[in-house]
PDB file of all heavy atoms in Angstrom:
ATOM      1  N   PHE Y   1       0.851  -1.192   0.000  1.00  0.00           N
ATOM      2  CA  PHE Y   1       0.000   0.000   0.000  1.00  0.00           C
ATOM      3  C   PHE Y   1       0.886   1.241   0.000  1.00  0.00           C
ATOM      4  O   PHE Y   1       2.110   1.138   0.148  1.00  0.00           O
ATOM      5  CB  PHE Y   1      -0.945   0.006   1.201  1.00  0.00           C
ATOM      6  CG  PHE Y   1      -0.261   0.220   2.524  1.00  0.00           C
ATOM      7  CD1 PHE Y   1      -0.254   1.471   3.132  1.00  0.00           C
ATOM      8  CD2 PHE Y   1       0.386  -0.837   3.174  1.00  0.00           C
ATOM      9  CE1 PHE Y   1       0.372   1.665   4.367  1.00  0.00           C
ATOM     10  CE2 PHE Y   1       1.007  -0.648   4.399  1.00  0.00           C
ATOM     11  CZ  PHE Y   1       1.004   0.607   4.995  1.00  0.00           C
ATOM     12  N   SER Y   2       0.265   2.398  -0.172  1.00  0.00           N
ATOM     13  CA  SER Y   2       1.000   3.660  -0.189  1.00  0.00           C
ATOM     14  C   SER Y   2       0.504   4.572   0.917  1.00  0.00           C
ATOM     15  O   SER Y   2      -0.678   4.549   1.284  1.00  0.00           O
ATOM     16  CB  SER Y   2       0.842   4.361  -1.544  1.00  0.00           C
ATOM     17  OG  SER Y   2       1.438   3.600  -2.575  1.00  0.00           O
ATOM     18  N   MET Y   3       1.436   5.357   1.454  1.00  0.00           N
ATOM     19  CA  MET Y   3       1.118   6.366   2.464  1.00  0.00           C
ATOM     20  C   MET Y   3       2.008   7.574   2.219  1.00  0.00           C
ATOM     21  O   MET Y   3       3.231   7.426   2.117  1.00  0.00           O
ATOM     22  CB  MET Y   3       1.340   5.806   3.880  1.00  0.00           C
ATOM     23  CG  MET Y   3       1.140   6.836   4.991  1.00  0.00           C
ATOM     24  SD  MET Y   3       1.643   6.204   6.625  1.00  0.00           S
ATOM     25  CE  MET Y   3       0.310   5.074   6.975  1.00  0.00           C
ATOM     26  N   HIS Y   4       1.397   8.745   2.102  1.00  0.00           N
ATOM     27  CA  HIS Y   4       2.139   9.981   1.861  1.00  0.00           C
ATOM     28  C   HIS Y   4       3.080   9.851   0.667  1.00  0.00           C
ATOM     29  O   HIS Y   4       4.206  10.345   0.687  1.00  0.00           O
ATOM     30  CB  HIS Y   4       2.921  10.393   3.111  1.00  0.00           C
ATOM     31  CG  HIS Y   4       2.076  10.552   4.329  1.00  0.00           C
ATOM     32  ND1 HIS Y   4       1.004  11.428   4.390  1.00  0.00           N
ATOM     33  CD2 HIS Y   4       2.107   9.934   5.542  1.00  0.00           C
ATOM     34  CE1 HIS Y   4       0.434  11.355   5.582  1.00  0.00           C
ATOM     35  NE2 HIS Y   4       1.076  10.452   6.296  1.00  0.00           N
ATOM     36  N   GLY Y   5       2.625   9.161  -0.343  1.00  0.00           N
ATOM     37  CA  GLY Y   5       3.416   9.011  -1.547  1.00  0.00           C
ATOM     38  C   GLY Y   5       4.488   7.948  -1.484  1.00  0.00           C
ATOM     39  O   GLY Y   5       5.199   7.712  -2.472  1.00  0.00           O
ATOM     40  N   HIS Y   6       4.601   7.260  -0.340  1.00  0.00           N
ATOM     41  CA  HIS Y   6       5.596   6.199  -0.210  1.00  0.00           C
ATOM     42  C   HIS Y   6       4.925   4.850  -0.376  1.00  0.00           C
ATOM     43  O   HIS Y   6       3.888   4.581   0.236  1.00  0.00           O
ATOM     44  CB  HIS Y   6       6.291   6.269   1.144  1.00  0.00           C
ATOM     45  CG  HIS Y   6       7.218   5.110   1.379  1.00  0.00           C
ATOM     46  ND1 HIS Y   6       8.470   5.044   0.823  1.00  0.00           N
ATOM     47  CD2 HIS Y   6       7.043   3.946   2.076  1.00  0.00           C
ATOM     48  CE1 HIS Y   6       9.047   3.906   1.180  1.00  0.00           C
ATOM     49  NE2 HIS Y   6       8.201   3.231   1.934  1.00  0.00           N
ATOM     50  N   ALA Y   7       5.530   3.981  -1.189  1.00  0.00           N
ATOM     51  CA  ALA Y   7       4.984   2.642  -1.427  1.00  0.00           C
ATOM     52  C   ALA Y   7       5.627   1.641  -0.476  1.00  0.00           C
ATOM     53  O   ALA Y   7       6.851   1.437  -0.509  1.00  0.00           O
ATOM     54  CB  ALA Y   7       5.230   2.232  -2.876  1.00  0.00           C
ATOM     55  N   PHE Y   8       4.809   1.044   0.367  1.00  0.00           N
ATOM     56  CA  PHE Y   8       5.282  -0.003   1.273  1.00  0.00           C
ATOM     57  C   PHE Y   8       5.097  -1.351   0.583  1.00  0.00           C
ATOM     58  O   PHE Y   8       4.008  -1.670   0.102  1.00  0.00           O
ATOM     59  CB  PHE Y   8       4.488   0.012   2.577  1.00  0.00           C
ATOM     60  CG  PHE Y   8       4.751   1.210   3.435  1.00  0.00           C
ATOM     61  CD1 PHE Y   8       3.925   2.325   3.363  1.00  0.00           C
ATOM     62  CD2 PHE Y   8       5.825   1.239   4.306  1.00  0.00           C
ATOM     63  CE1 PHE Y   8       4.166   3.435   4.151  1.00  0.00           C
ATOM     64  CE2 PHE Y   8       6.072   2.339   5.098  1.00  0.00           C
ATOM     65  CZ  PHE Y   8       5.247   3.455   5.022  1.00  0.00           C
ATOM     66  N   GLN Y   9       6.164  -2.151   0.565  1.00  0.00           N
ATOM     67  CA  GLN Y   9       6.143  -3.433  -0.131  1.00  0.00           C
ATOM     68  C   GLN Y   9       5.917  -4.582   0.859  1.00  0.00           C
ATOM     69  O   GLN Y   9       6.359  -4.517   2.012  1.00  0.00           O
ATOM     70  CB  GLN Y   9       7.459  -3.648  -0.885  1.00  0.00           C
ATOM     71  CG  GLN Y   9       7.780  -2.567  -1.904  1.00  0.00           C
ATOM     72  CD  GLN Y   9       6.719  -2.435  -2.979  1.00  0.00           C
ATOM     73  OE1 GLN Y   9       6.174  -3.439  -3.459  1.00  0.00           O
ATOM     74  NE2 GLN Y   9       6.388  -1.203  -3.360  1.00  0.00           N
ATOM     75  N   ARG Y  10       5.253  -5.612   0.365  1.00  0.00           N
ATOM     76  CA  ARG Y  10       4.968  -6.789   1.187  1.00  0.00           C
ATOM     77  C   ARG Y  10       6.258  -7.324   1.826  1.00  0.00           C
ATOM     78  O   ARG Y  10       7.296  -7.461   1.164  1.00  0.00           O
ATOM     79  CB  ARG Y  10       4.335  -7.876   0.326  1.00  0.00           C
ATOM     80  CG  ARG Y  10       3.997  -9.159   1.081  1.00  0.00           C
ATOM     81  CD  ARG Y  10       3.324 -10.158   0.132  1.00  0.00           C
ATOM     82  NE  ARG Y  10       3.208 -11.464   0.748  1.00  0.00           N
ATOM     83  CZ  ARG Y  10       2.227 -11.848   1.547  1.00  0.00           C
ATOM     84  NH1 ARG Y  10       1.255 -11.002   1.821  1.00  0.00           N
ATOM     85  NH2 ARG Y  10       2.202 -13.060   2.067  1.00  0.00           N
ATOM     86  N   GLY Y  11       6.197  -7.610   3.122  1.00  0.00           N
ATOM     87  CA  GLY Y  11       7.334  -8.171   3.848  1.00  0.00           C
ATOM     88  C   GLY Y  11       8.195  -7.138   4.543  1.00  0.00           C
ATOM     89  O   GLY Y  11       8.996  -7.494   5.412  1.00  0.00           O
ATOM     90  N   GLU Y  12       8.039  -5.863   4.208  1.00  0.00           N
ATOM     91  CA  GLU Y  12       8.857  -4.839   4.854  1.00  0.00           C
ATOM     92  C   GLU Y  12       8.396  -4.621   6.292  1.00  0.00           C
ATOM     93  O   GLU Y  12       7.230  -4.841   6.637  1.00  0.00           O
ATOM     94  CB  GLU Y  12       8.783  -3.528   4.074  1.00  0.00           C
ATOM     95  CG  GLU Y  12       9.469  -3.578   2.730  1.00  0.00           C
ATOM     96  CD  GLU Y  12       9.426  -2.256   1.997  1.00  0.00           C
ATOM     97  OE1 GLU Y  12       8.423  -1.520   2.127  1.00  0.00           O
ATOM     98  OE2 GLU Y  12      10.402  -1.946   1.277  1.00  0.00           O
ATOM     99  N   LEU Y  13       9.335  -4.173   7.105  1.00  0.00           N
ATOM    100  CA  LEU Y  13       9.045  -3.902   8.513  1.00  0.00           C
ATOM    101  C   LEU Y  13       8.712  -2.424   8.692  1.00  0.00           C
ATOM    102  O   LEU Y  13       9.423  -1.549   8.191  1.00  0.00           O
ATOM    103  CB  LEU Y  13      10.242  -4.274   9.381  1.00  0.00           C
ATOM    104  CG  LEU Y  13      10.120  -4.034  10.886  1.00  0.00           C
ATOM    105  CD1 LEU Y  13       8.989  -4.866  11.483  1.00  0.00           C
ATOM    106  CD2 LEU Y  13      11.440  -4.370  11.583  1.00  0.00           C
ATOM    107  N   VAL Y  14       7.638  -2.163   9.413  1.00  0.00           N
ATOM    108  CA  VAL Y  14       7.210  -0.799   9.735  1.00  0.00           C
ATOM    109  C   VAL Y  14       7.230  -0.648  11.251  1.00  0.00           C
ATOM    110  O   VAL Y  14       6.713  -1.506  11.974  1.00  0.00           O
ATOM    111  CB  VAL Y  14       5.804  -0.506   9.179  1.00  0.00           C
ATOM    112  CG1 VAL Y  14       5.331   0.886   9.596  1.00  0.00           C
ATOM    113  CG2 VAL Y  14       5.794  -0.641   7.656  1.00  0.00           C
ATOM    114  N   ILE Y  15       7.835   0.434  11.733  1.00  0.00           N
ATOM    115  CA  ILE Y  15       7.914   0.707  13.172  1.00  0.00           C
ATOM    116  C   ILE Y  15       7.104   1.965  13.491  1.00  0.00           C
ATOM    117  O   ILE Y  15       7.541   3.092  13.229  1.00  0.00           O
ATOM    118  CB  ILE Y  15       9.375   0.918  13.625  1.00  0.00           C
ATOM    119  CG1 ILE Y  15      10.236  -0.300  13.297  1.00  0.00           C
ATOM    120  CG2 ILE Y  15       9.430   1.235  15.123  1.00  0.00           C
ATOM    121  CD1 ILE Y  15       9.911  -1.528  14.097  1.00  0.00           C
ATOM    122  N   PRO Y  16       5.894   1.825  14.038  1.00  0.00           N
ATOM    123  CA  PRO Y  16       5.163   2.995  14.546  1.00  0.00           C
ATOM    124  C   PRO Y  16       5.771   3.428  15.891  1.00  0.00           C
ATOM    125  O   PRO Y  16       5.756   2.671  16.862  1.00  0.00           O
ATOM    126  CB  PRO Y  16       3.732   2.478  14.723  1.00  0.00           C
ATOM    127  CG  PRO Y  16       3.679   1.181  13.956  1.00  0.00           C
ATOM    128  CD  PRO Y  16       5.060   0.613  14.058  1.00  0.00           C
ATOM    129  N   LEU Y  17       6.327   4.629  15.914  1.00  0.00           N
ATOM    130  CA  LEU Y  17       7.015   5.138  17.102  1.00  0.00           C
ATOM    131  C   LEU Y  17       5.998   5.809  18.033  1.00  0.00           C
ATOM    132  O   LEU Y  17       5.675   6.993  17.897  1.00  0.00           O
ATOM    133  CB  LEU Y  17       8.110   6.120  16.695  1.00  0.00           C
ATOM    134  CG  LEU Y  17       9.291   5.500  15.931  1.00  0.00           C
ATOM    135  CD1 LEU Y  17      10.137   6.590  15.280  1.00  0.00           C
ATOM    136  CD2 LEU Y  17      10.159   4.655  16.873  1.00  0.00           C
ATOM    137  N   VAL Y  18       5.510   5.035  18.965  1.00  0.00           N
ATOM    138  CA  VAL Y  18       4.487   5.512  19.893  1.00  0.00           C
ATOM    139  C   VAL Y  18       5.006   6.693  20.717  1.00  0.00           C
ATOM    140  O   VAL Y  18       4.297   7.684  20.933  1.00  0.00           O
ATOM    141  CB  VAL Y  18       4.035   4.358  20.807  1.00  0.00           C
ATOM    142  CG1 VAL Y  18       3.137   4.866  21.923  1.00  0.00           C
ATOM    143  CG2 VAL Y  18       3.328   3.285  19.986  1.00  0.00           C
ATOM    144  N   GLY Y  19       6.248   6.591  21.194  1.00  0.00           N
ATOM    145  CA  GLY Y  19       6.812   7.668  21.998  1.00  0.00           C
ATOM    146  C   GLY Y  19       6.898   8.971  21.253  1.00  0.00           C
ATOM    147  O   GLY Y  19       6.711  10.051  21.840  1.00  0.00           O
ATOM    148  N   ALA Y  20       7.186   8.903  19.950  1.00  0.00           N
ATOM    149  CA  ALA Y  20       7.221  10.121  19.128  1.00  0.00           C
ATOM    150  C   ALA Y  20       5.822  10.674  18.919  1.00  0.00           C
ATOM    151  O   ALA Y  20       5.588  11.890  19.035  1.00  0.00           O
ATOM    152  CB  ALA Y  20       7.878   9.811  17.788  1.00  0.00           C
ATOM    153  N   ALA Y  21       4.869   9.786  18.613  1.00  0.00           N
ATOM    154  CA  ALA Y  21       3.495  10.230  18.385  1.00  0.00           C
ATOM    155  C   ALA Y  21       2.931  10.949  19.599  1.00  0.00           C
ATOM    156  O   ALA Y  21       2.199  11.937  19.469  1.00  0.00           O
ATOM    157  CB  ALA Y  21       2.627   9.030  18.035  1.00  0.00           C
ATOM    158  N   ASN Y  22       3.279  10.481  20.780  1.00  0.00           N
ATOM    159  CA  ASN Y  22       2.767  11.073  22.016  1.00  0.00           C
ATOM    160  C   ASN Y  22       3.317  12.471  22.279  1.00  0.00           C
ATOM    161  O   ASN Y  22       2.830  13.161  23.179  1.00  0.00           O
ATOM    162  CB  ASN Y  22       3.110  10.183  23.210  1.00  0.00           C
ATOM    163  CG  ASN Y  22       2.184   8.991  23.331  1.00  0.00           C
ATOM    164  OD1 ASN Y  22       1.100   8.967  22.756  1.00  0.00           O
ATOM    165  ND2 ASN Y  22       2.611   7.991  24.090  1.00  0.00           N
ATOM    166  N   ARG Y  23       4.333  12.867  21.502  1.00  0.00           N
ATOM    167  CA  ARG Y  23       4.868  14.224  21.653  1.00  0.00           C
ATOM    168  C   ARG Y  23       4.813  14.997  20.331  1.00  0.00           C
ATOM    169  O   ARG Y  23       5.618  15.893  20.087  1.00  0.00           O
ATOM    170  CB  ARG Y  23       6.305  14.172  22.178  1.00  0.00           C
ATOM    171  CG  ARG Y  23       6.412  13.641  23.599  1.00  0.00           C
ATOM    172  CD  ARG Y  23       7.708  14.071  24.241  1.00  0.00           C
ATOM    173  NE  ARG Y  23       7.922  13.500  25.552  1.00  0.00           N
ATOM    174  CZ  ARG Y  23       8.914  13.864  26.358  1.00  0.00           C
ATOM    175  NH1 ARG Y  23       9.788  14.785  25.964  1.00  0.00           N
ATOM    176  NH2 ARG Y  23       9.060  13.293  27.545  1.00  0.00           N
ATOM    177  N   ASP Y  24       3.865  14.643  19.491  1.00  0.00           N
ATOM    178  CA  ASP Y  24       3.700  15.329  18.210  1.00  0.00           C
ATOM    179  C   ASP Y  24       3.231  16.759  18.464  1.00  0.00           C
ATOM    180  O   ASP Y  24       2.139  16.978  18.999  1.00  0.00           O
ATOM    181  CB  ASP Y  24       2.673  14.568  17.364  1.00  0.00           C
ATOM    182  CG  ASP Y  24       2.586  15.086  15.939  1.00  0.00           C
ATOM    183  OD1 ASP Y  24       2.964  16.248  15.693  1.00  0.00           O
ATOM    184  OD2 ASP Y  24       2.131  14.327  15.065  1.00  0.00           O
ATOM    185  N   PRO Y  25       4.025  17.774  18.078  1.00  0.00           N
ATOM    186  CA  PRO Y  25       3.636  19.162  18.354  1.00  0.00           C
ATOM    187  C   PRO Y  25       2.395  19.608  17.586  1.00  0.00           C
ATOM    188  O   PRO Y  25       1.798  20.633  17.940  1.00  0.00           O
ATOM    189  CB  PRO Y  25       4.882  19.953  17.933  1.00  0.00           C
ATOM    190  CG  PRO Y  25       5.591  19.082  16.953  1.00  0.00           C
ATOM    191  CD  PRO Y  25       5.330  17.673  17.402  1.00  0.00           C
ATOM    192  N   LYS Y  26       2.010  18.866  16.542  1.00  0.00           N
ATOM    193  CA  LYS Y  26       0.784  19.212  15.821  1.00  0.00           C
ATOM    194  C   LYS Y  26      -0.451  18.761  16.580  1.00  0.00           C
ATOM    195  O   LYS Y  26      -1.566  19.172  16.249  1.00  0.00           O
ATOM    196  CB  LYS Y  26       0.808  18.579  14.434  1.00  0.00           C
ATOM    197  CG  LYS Y  26       1.900  19.132  13.518  1.00  0.00           C
ATOM    198  CD  LYS Y  26       1.850  18.455  12.157  1.00  0.00           C
ATOM    199  CE  LYS Y  26       2.954  18.995  11.245  1.00  0.00           C
ATOM    200  NZ  LYS Y  26       2.944  18.318   9.916  1.00  0.00           N
ATOM    201  N   VAL Y  27      -0.255  17.925  17.585  1.00  0.00           N
ATOM    202  CA  VAL Y  27      -1.376  17.365  18.344  1.00  0.00           C
ATOM    203  C   VAL Y  27      -1.401  17.890  19.775  1.00  0.00           C
ATOM    204  O   VAL Y  27      -2.469  18.137  20.341  1.00  0.00           O
ATOM    205  CB  VAL Y  27      -1.295  15.824  18.337  1.00  0.00           C
ATOM    206  CG1 VAL Y  27      -2.392  15.206  19.195  1.00  0.00           C
ATOM    207  CG2 VAL Y  27      -1.382  15.295  16.903  1.00  0.00           C
ATOM    208  N   TYR Y  28      -0.217  18.084  20.356  1.00  0.00           N
ATOM    209  CA  TYR Y  28      -0.121  18.482  21.755  1.00  0.00           C
ATOM    210  C   TYR Y  28       0.593  19.823  21.882  1.00  0.00           C
ATOM    211  O   TYR Y  28       1.698  20.011  21.356  1.00  0.00           O
ATOM    212  CB  TYR Y  28       0.654  17.428  22.560  1.00  0.00           C
ATOM    213  CG  TYR Y  28       0.030  16.055  22.532  1.00  0.00           C
ATOM    214  CD1 TYR Y  28       0.569  15.041  21.750  1.00  0.00           C
ATOM    215  CD2 TYR Y  28      -1.112  15.776  23.280  1.00  0.00           C
ATOM    216  CE1 TYR Y  28       0.005  13.775  21.716  1.00  0.00           C
ATOM    217  CE2 TYR Y  28      -1.687  14.512  23.256  1.00  0.00           C
ATOM    218  CZ  TYR Y  28      -1.126  13.521  22.467  1.00  0.00           C
ATOM    219  OH  TYR Y  28      -1.703  12.270  22.431  1.00  0.00           O
ATOM    220  N   THR Y  29      -0.019  20.732  22.604  1.00  0.00           N
ATOM    221  CA  THR Y  29       0.617  21.998  22.925  1.00  0.00           C
ATOM    222  C   THR Y  29       1.742  21.766  23.921  1.00  0.00           C
ATOM    223  O   THR Y  29       1.577  21.024  24.893  1.00  0.00           O
ATOM    224  CB  THR Y  29      -0.412  22.966  23.548  1.00  0.00           C
ATOM    225  OG1 THR Y  29      -1.517  23.103  22.655  1.00  0.00           O
ATOM    226  CG2 THR Y  29       0.207  24.324  23.819  1.00  0.00           C
ATOM    227  N   ASP Y  30       2.908  22.384  23.659  1.00  0.00           N
ATOM    228  CA  ASP Y  30       4.047  22.244  24.568  1.00  0.00           C
ATOM    229  C   ASP Y  30       4.278  20.770  24.913  1.00  0.00           C
ATOM    230  O   ASP Y  30       4.252  20.361  26.079  1.00  0.00           O
ATOM    231  CB  ASP Y  30       3.782  23.066  25.831  1.00  0.00           C
ATOM    232  CG  ASP Y  30       5.012  23.233  26.704  1.00  0.00           C
ATOM    233  OD1 ASP Y  30       6.143  23.019  26.213  1.00  0.00           O
ATOM    234  OD2 ASP Y  30       4.849  23.564  27.896  1.00  0.00           O
ATOM    235  N   PRO Y  31       4.518  19.917  23.908  1.00  0.00           N
ATOM    236  CA  PRO Y  31       4.502  18.461  24.125  1.00  0.00           C
ATOM    237  C   PRO Y  31       5.605  17.946  25.022  1.00  0.00           C
ATOM    238  O   PRO Y  31       5.469  16.857  25.600  1.00  0.00           O
ATOM    239  CB  PRO Y  31       4.648  17.899  22.710  1.00  0.00           C
ATOM    240  CG  PRO Y  31       5.374  18.949  21.949  1.00  0.00           C
ATOM    241  CD  PRO Y  31       4.854  20.248  22.503  1.00  0.00           C
ATOM    242  N   HIS Y  32       6.706  18.675  25.178  1.00  0.00           N
ATOM    243  CA  HIS Y  32       7.832  18.181  25.963  1.00  0.00           C
ATOM    244  C   HIS Y  32       7.761  18.614  27.427  1.00  0.00           C
ATOM    245  O   HIS Y  32       8.736  18.464  28.165  1.00  0.00           O
ATOM    246  CB  HIS Y  32       9.143  18.645  25.335  1.00  0.00           C
ATOM    247  CG  HIS Y  32       9.315  18.177  23.920  1.00  0.00           C
ATOM    248  ND1 HIS Y  32       9.405  16.844  23.585  1.00  0.00           N
ATOM    249  CD2 HIS Y  32       9.362  18.869  22.755  1.00  0.00           C
ATOM    250  CE1 HIS Y  32       9.533  16.729  22.275  1.00  0.00           C
ATOM    251  NE2 HIS Y  32       9.496  17.937  21.754  1.00  0.00           N
ATOM    252  N   THR Y  33       6.609  19.141  27.826  1.00  0.00           N
ATOM    253  CA  THR Y  33       6.382  19.514  29.222  1.00  0.00           C
ATOM    254  C   THR Y  33       5.233  18.703  29.777  1.00  0.00           C
ATOM    255  O   THR Y  33       4.224  18.476  29.101  1.00  0.00           O
ATOM    256  CB  THR Y  33       6.060  21.017  29.348  1.00  0.00           C
ATOM    257  OG1 THR Y  33       7.151  21.779  28.819  1.00  0.00           O
ATOM    258  CG2 THR Y  33       5.843  21.409  30.811  1.00  0.00           C
TER     259      THR Y  33
END
């Protein structure tokens, strides 16, 4: 499948970085506090 213009191929490893998502500045105000 594709995401943001990138094609992910069968068998590839994807790492969703939960710790990064939890400090996404587009979602949380002052995320590092």
Side-chain angles (χ1 to χ4, degrees):
F1 70 100
S2 295
M3 175 188 287
H4 304 302
H6 174 79
F8 291 95
Q9 302 300 320
R10 180 178 170 85
E12 291 182 326
L13 179 62
V14 176
I15 302 291
L17 293 166
V18 171
N22 281 342
R23 293 201 185 188
D24 188 338
K26 294 180 181 179
V27 176
Y28 301 104
T29 305
D30 192 18
H32 301 297
T33 301

